[in-house]
Amino acid sequence: MQSLEGKKLVLFGAGNSGGCFIVQNPGLDIRAVADNDPAKQGGQFHGIEVIAPQRIGELSCDAIVITSVWSKGILDQLKALGLCAIPTVIPGKREMKG
């Protein structure tokens, strides 16, 4: 996985894998967690604000880290939202397992 140190990040996926990623990478600058579940939006996930994917563009992030198993659909969604200029990273299973 490419180095994410010193980059402003948005995680996509407020589920088990996202939680493991946050716990395993405490030094990363995670600005928000995007999730498609409206019930999670507006809340906190491991102390980080959960936002609707449509709000990613409002943040000045350097990369989007996809921590969901639905990465293909999320990549399509990011493209549809006009966010394909922001680099995306899909961590390996090792980085997202507890």
Side-chain angles (χ1 to χ4, degrees):
M1 184 172 67
Q2 70 186 55
S3 175
L4 299 174
E5 295 288 327
K7 294 184 179 179
K8 298 177 224 156
L9 306 173
V10 171
L11 263 56
F12 200 123
N16 290 335
S17 295
C20 289
F21 184 86
I22 291 168
V23 169
Q24 292 179 18
N25 296 282
L28 294 181
D29 184 6
I30 301 169
R31 299 295 173 101
V33 178
D35 199 279
N36 285 315
D37 184 348
K40 294 179 180 181
Q41 297 166 8
Q44 298 276 310
F45 184 71
H46 290 267
I48 303 167
E49 180 186 11
V50 180
I51 63 171
Q54 294 80 0
R55 290 195 49 217
I56 294 172
E58 299 171 13
L59 305 174
S60 298
C61 67
D62 299 315
I64 300 168
V65 181
I66 300 175
T67 58
S68 169
V69 297
W70 308 107
S71 57
K72 170 71 171 100
I74 290 170
L75 288 169
D76 292 342
Q77 182 179 5
L78 294 173
K79 183 177 180 180
L81 291 170
L83 300 172
C84 52
I86 302 172
T88 55
V89 177
I90 302 172
K93 289 181 182 180
R94 180 181 306 153
E95 287 88 6
M96 295 191 295
K97 278 195 166 183

